[in-house]
Amino acid sequence: MAIVRTPAALTAAVAAWQRDGLRVAFVPTMGALHAGHLALVTEGLRHADRVVASIFVNPKQFGPAEDLDRYPRDEAGDAAKLVGAGCTLLYAPSVETMYPPGFASFVRVAGLPDLLCGRVRPGHFDGVATVVSKLLAAARADVAVFGEKDWQQLAIIRRMAADLDLGTQIIGAGIVRDSDGLALSSRNLYLTPDERQRALALPRALATAQATLRTGEPVAATLAAASTALAAAGFARVDYVELVDGETLGALDAPVPGARIMAAAVMGTTRLIDNLAI
Ligand code: PAF
């Protein structure tokens, strides 16, 4: 698998395939790849003839007190996993290439980034929108695949790609879970064995809330019960458990088609997110 490190090299490689009539899928990641990321590559191969992945730990989406320095990095290991999954090209730019001296632009989607995770991670989604717009503009792929675990991120990227006519179709890929139900996340590596066990309360609380809402029980009481279950399991902080419209992310007091139940909570020092369709 070839590795390119500049936007110009990425643009040229994708354009060469497209000139040959091949469709190209792009899978942006921050590395520390797990089976969830590799499922994005598999999804890309369902829509395209070639898959390009990127690995870039984007400093602009980390807050000052967040885990930028300790975020796991293993380019060689990630590259081997991508080859196994059928990826043909890796884009691995440096921070200096992405944000050279004098870099002064930000992409901000209005509204959506202020909700849910945005309330406790101010600026995070502006950093995501900025880097993803740069990545999509450089790749000019036919489709780009993002995981549904980061549902708010996916909603923001869809909005941005449509608003800015980026010309790449955004595809969401279903959440990949361990056999016990925990959604795969690079940050699961931070959990101690005991924390990981207690973190199972997150998918369980969502599944219980999903089942309860489907029987027509009131939303407020259902969400409060899920929140209580998380606190009882040892989550140090519950940032939110909300029922939202899947596109606008606006809070709902009754399920509607496309509604999702979303949650974020901190186990030990690790913030976990998860969501389910209702
Ligand atoms: O989901 C991620 O891994 C990142 O937020 C993304 C989309 C690659 C942007 O840095």
Side-chain angles (χ1 to χ4, degrees), residues 151-225:
W151 186 272
Q152 184 173 12
Q153 168 174 282
L154 177 61
I156 290 168
I157 291 169
R158 282 192 204 284
R159 181 76 268 155
M160 177 186 76
D163 289 353
L164 301 185
D165 305 319
L166 290 180
T168 298
Q169 184 192 352
I170 306 300
I171 292 172
I175 299 175
V176 179
R177 298 178 181 279
D178 265 333
S179 54
D180 56 12
L182 191 67
L184 297 190
S185 163
S186 304
R187 291 192 166 99
N188 291 354
L189 292 171
Y190 301 152
L191 297 169
T192 66
D194 176 56
E195 288 170 350
R196 197 197 166 291
Q197 191 56 34
R198 285 186 286 135
L200 293 177
L202 180 55
R204 287 177 186 158
L206 289 182
T208 302
Q210 179 194 52
T212 308
L213 290 174
R214 283 179 175 168
T215 66
E217 290 298 312
V219 171
T222 304
L223 300 179

Side-chain angles (χ1 to χ4, degrees), residues 23-28 36-37 39-51 132 136 141-151 153-159 161-162 167-175:
R23 277 174 64 78
V24 181
F26 185 32
V27 177
H37 295 109
L40 304 182
V41 174
T42 305
E43 183 66 22
L45 285 168
R46 289 185 54 235
H47 298 270
D49 308 293
R50 297 281 183 275
V51 174
V132 172
L136 294 182
D142 299 280
V143 302
V145 190
F146 297 86
E148 290 184 350
K149 184 176 76 67
D150 298 286
W151 186 272
Q153 168 174 282
L154 177 61
I156 290 168
I157 291 169
R158 282 192 204 284
R159 181 76 268 155
T168 298
Q169 184 192 352
I170 306 300
I171 292 172
I175 299 175

Side-chain angles (χ1 to χ4, degrees), residues 28-30 37 56 58 61 128 131-132 135 146 150 153 157:
T29 80
M30 294 207 302
H37 295 109
F56 178 65
N58 174 33
Q61 69 187 77
V128 170
V131 79
V132 172
L135 292 168
F146 297 86
D150 298 286
Q153 168 174 282
I157 291 169

